[in-house]
Amino acid sequence: MREKHPQTEIAPYLRGDLSAAERDRLASHLARCDRCRADADAYAAVLKTIAADAARIPAPDWRAYRAELHRKLAARRNLVPGVPSRSWNQRLRWASIGTAVAAAAVLLFLTILPHSQPGAPSVDQMAMEDAMGGADIGLLRNYPVVEHLDLLENYDVIEHLDEVAPTDTSDENPS
Amino acid sequence: MVPSDEELCRQVAEHNAAAFETLLDRHQARAFRIACSILGSEADARDVSQDAFIRVYESAGKFDGRSRFSTWFYRIVVNLCIDHKRRNKWWRKMVPFSTPDDDPETPPVDPPSLEPGPEADAIRSDSARRLRSALDGLSPTQRAAVLLQTEEDLTSREIAEILECSESTARVHIHRALAHLKKTMREDR
Ligand SMILES: [Zn+2]
């Protein structure tokens, strides 16, 4: 009988974030699986490095931080003459440009490839969410052409194509 | 009696400035730290965490009380960070010939740390350098998930609430992030 490596439970296990039943099950798996035990050791080392790195984040000058925040709030309420709410307007502008470019890309794609391949593999939903953010994927779920749209919606996807590929099949191997 | 975050948020919705200041006192350090972890830049973290507080100030009335205030607020912070990272990629790829003069408030590359000194030296240390480099290879969501767990000590369930996904999805994000970090940091040696 094949046993799945419970890899997604290793980090919660290391952090004490599993229920008692889950913890016992994982501990017993680790006792007989070299691969997961090696992963657990490696993950523990990575988690330790991240924690050490976090301790180095310096605190800003909070007085200056608050003063800047209040200037931004005042600018947005137009209470401070001569302080335009430029940053906000720029974001709105970039959001508009991004939306327009995405729409253009979608139209272009639909023109070039109007028909989907019935047997084509579907894109890994989670990798898409990683790259695009939940809001976008929620919107795209409403459309049947999502499998094609998502690759064009955000260029970030191109950098994560390896995540879109089929995942490690050795997960299914017996331990 | 000390008012809860949720009560303070309700007061902010009624334009109570003192309530807003109290929420700032309670959450500014964590908001900045989370943003700094995800974005890897103090200047960007300051900007994005301030944007999150601006959202609270202007949208406190939208907090429906179904989750804790902290979950709602850190969801705003994380979403702004993810948007920021994605927007910067759009910026780099769609406007390759622009110069910093085009937009002095949004430099095309991360500005250097504002406060060089012991922190900067530490960041140059080998393991930190490898970590930073490996973190850059994560998607914004994976990065947020693993950093929220490690640096903010949140459970998978809390991370799932912030990322608005299932707990098992949050665990997959974290596992993929750790697998990538493990592989990349080992190769980079
Ligand atoms: Zn195993």
Side-chain angles (χ1 to χ4, degrees), chain A residues 5-6 29 33 35-36 175:
Chain A
H5 297 284
H29 181 87
C33 178
R35 172 185 161 165
C36 286
S175 58

Side-chain angles (χ1 to χ4, degrees), chain A residues 3-7 29-30 32-37 175:
Chain A
E3 183 181 12
K4 194 169 165 61
H5 297 284
Q7 292 186 304
H29 181 87
L30 289 178
R32 60 182 188 277
C33 178
D34 291 343
R35 172 185 161 165
C36 286
R37 213 165 42 243
S175 58

Side-chain angles (χ1 to χ4, degrees), chain A residues 9-18 47 51, chain B residues 146 148-156 159 174 178:
Chain A
E9 291 176 17
I10 293 176
Y13 173 79
L14 293 170
R15 300 189 47 80
D17 187 17
L18 290 181
L47 291 170
Chain B
V146 75
L148 286 171
Q149 184 190 60
T150 315
E151 300 187 355
E152 299 305 321
D153 211 22
L154 298 186
T155 64
S156 325
I159 293 165
I174 292 164
L178 287 172

Side-chain angles (χ1 to χ4, degrees), chain A residues 19-42:
Chain A
S19 67
E22 287 175 317
R23 193 177 59 238
D24 292 347
R25 198 171 59 237
L26 193 81
S28 115
H29 181 87
L30 289 178
R32 60 182 188 277
C33 178
D34 291 343
R35 172 185 161 165
C36 286
R37 213 165 42 243
D39 277 347
D41 288 344

